[in-house]
Amino acid sequence: MTHPPAGILDGLRNMGLLRPDAGAQGEALAGGVSSDIWRVALPDGRVICVKRALEKLRVAADWRAPIVRNRYEARWLARAHEAAPQAVPALLGQDEATGTLAMEWLPPERYPVWKERLRHGDVDPAFAAEVGRRIAAIHAAAARRPDLAMDFPTDKLFHAIRLEPYLVATARAHPDLAPQLVALVARTAATKLTLVHGDVSPKNILVGPEGPVFLDAECAWWGDPAFDLAFCLNHLLLKCLLVPGVATCLMVCFEALAASYLASVEWEAPAMLEARAASLLPGLFLARIDGKSPVEYVTEEAQKDRVRRVARALIVSPPDRLKTVRAAWGEEIGA
């Protein structure tokens, strides 16, 4: 245990969680690409989690994002907690001056990270289905409240930390696909339906005693819910290269998550949302190889070429069903 940085302590004081004359002990947590994340023990005995947004993300590319995103992450947590209390940690406070937020601490021995479970071959389609149901519940609740859109004026932020580093950057790497990828950017940016998390990834989902818990909504945006669905399904495709021994089970998870999500869609025709997700997914698939944020576990060129081969074909001939993407990748890897 050590003293957290001054900015985090100042933020806690500004939130009223720490007296002006008091200090606190804590430990930095690993894994933060876009934020400093600390487990902090307050003088009153409470243990909390504190995040402070970074202006320059910890990736190889020069990738910067305004720290004001911390404000919108806090707002997403509050709205998601109203829709599905068990699906998010409780928000304890947020301070814009320091770009920090405080939330409930969820101990890792009770709330392991889904990515680590998958990495070790612990693959549960029922859990994947619940991920789909819970994110759809949050989407559905927000879609009933279009007034929330004014609380998330984050179009430029979402472009800076999602559309540009993923799809626009990939268009630069594959100029022959630029028209299709730029069209995906335009369509996604123009679709305004509900509150989107923006980073629904196994690394941001905890396996809680009562089901999945979503973290890290730094990309919160009022926009296209198909982005969240495609973004999460993309990781299940990619994990087949990380743990090939359970690739078939991962594809069952893909099917379970997609089916449970689509069964919960009530704000539009499920087939319309599925068509957007299915055509966006190949672009995101390729982006995790040739965009600004490549997945760290796909390092061999032969593996990268497998992704490129499947993704490029699907971008040229966009699917309107998710099962088409699943079938193309399954054929490539024998799953």
Side-chain angles (χ1 to χ4, degrees):
M1 299 278 279
T2 186
H3 291 292
I8 284 179
L9 294 175
D10 288 343
L12 291 173
R13 294 183 183 113
N14 293 344
M15 291 178 226
L17 295 171
L18 192 63
R19 294 194 317 271
D21 60 342
Q25 296 288 311
E27 60 177 331
L29 303 179
V33 170
S34 60
S35 297
D36 285 330
I37 308 173
W38 281 72
R39 174 184 177 271
V40 176
L42 298 175
D44 62 9
R46 287 183 295 168
V47 177
I48 64 174
C49 181
V50 184
K51 290 184 63 177
R52 187 182 188 196
L54 298 173
E55 183 178 359
K56 185 181 186 304
L57 279 60
R58 295 189 182 103
V59 295
D62 184 13
W63 185 357
R64 298 173 185 270
I67 64 171
V68 72
R69 65 188 186 274
N70 186 272
R71 171 199 304 169
Y72 303 113
E73 178 174 11
R75 290 180 182 178
W76 185 91
L77 282 169
R79 300 289 80 79
H81 192 269
E82 293 171 355
Q86 295 175 338
V88 293
L91 176 68
L92 303 178
Q94 191 261 339
D95 177 54
E96 297 198 12
T98 56
T100 56
L101 67 81
M103 57 189 162
E104 175 187 8
W105 169 251
L106 301 177
E109 61 271 16
R110 295 187 63 227
Y111 293 86
V113 178
W114 191 26
K115 179 178 179 178
E116 293 309 308
R117 285 284 184 91
L118 295 176
R119 183 188 295 273
H120 291 99
D122 185 353
V123 180
D124 180 4
F127 181 83
E130 188 60 20
V131 169
R133 273 189 290 271
R134 288 196 177 185
I135 200 67
I138 295 168
H139 287 166
R144 298 183 205 114
R145 293 191 54 192
D147 58 297
L148 291 178
M150 66 182 67
D151 291 335
F152 295 89
T154 57
D155 286 5
K156 290 182 180 179
L157 180 59
F158 192 79
H159 186 275
I161 58 182
R162 278 295 169 264
L163 298 178
E164 195 285 329
Y166 284 78
L167 299 174
V168 177
T170 303
R172 290 193 292 268
H174 295 266
D176 61 316
L177 298 178
Q180 294 94 327
L181 292 168
V182 170
L184 287 174
V185 170
R187 186 192 69 194
T188 302
T191 304
K192 301 289 193 175
L193 294 172
T194 191
L195 181 55
V196 174
H197 179 286
D199 198 3
V200 182
S201 158
K203 72 178 176 61
N204 293 331
I205 301 172
L206 305 181
V207 183
E210 298 177 317
V213 178
F214 300 96
L215 306 175
D216 292 342
E218 294 186 12
C219 307
W221 170 61
W222 188 268
D224 188 358
F227 187 92
D228 278 347
L229 177 60
F231 198 85
C232 194
L233 292 174
N234 188 39
H235 283 272
L236 294 177
L237 299 179
L238 290 162
K239 292 294 182 293
C240 294
L241 297 177
L242 177 63
V243 278
V246 294
T248 298
C249 291
L250 285 164
M251 300 306 277
V252 174
C253 285
F254 179 104
E255 296 164 358
L257 195 158
S260 66
Y261 179 91
L262 292 170
S264 303
V265 172
E266 60 181 44
W267 57 89
E268 64 176 304
M272 292 180 62
L273 189 149
E274 182 180 9
R276 295 197 309 277
S279 56
L280 176 62
L281 180 49
L284 296 176
F285 197 36
L286 186 59
R288 296 316 300 267
I289 300 300
D290 293 323
K292 284 187 178 180
S293 183
V295 288
E296 79 282 1
Y297 51 82
V298 181
T299 57
E300 298 177 6
E301 282 302 313
Q303 288 185 325
K304 293 179 181 181
D305 284 341
R306 299 183 89 175
V307 175
R308 291 175 181 131
R309 183 160 49 247
V310 171
R312 285 179 55 85
L314 291 170
I315 292 169
V316 170
S317 299
D320 60 6
R321 299 292 303 278
L322 288 165
K323 68 179 183 180
T324 305
V325 183
R326 181 255 182 270
W329 185 233
E331 182 177 356
E332 173 67 31
I333 62 174

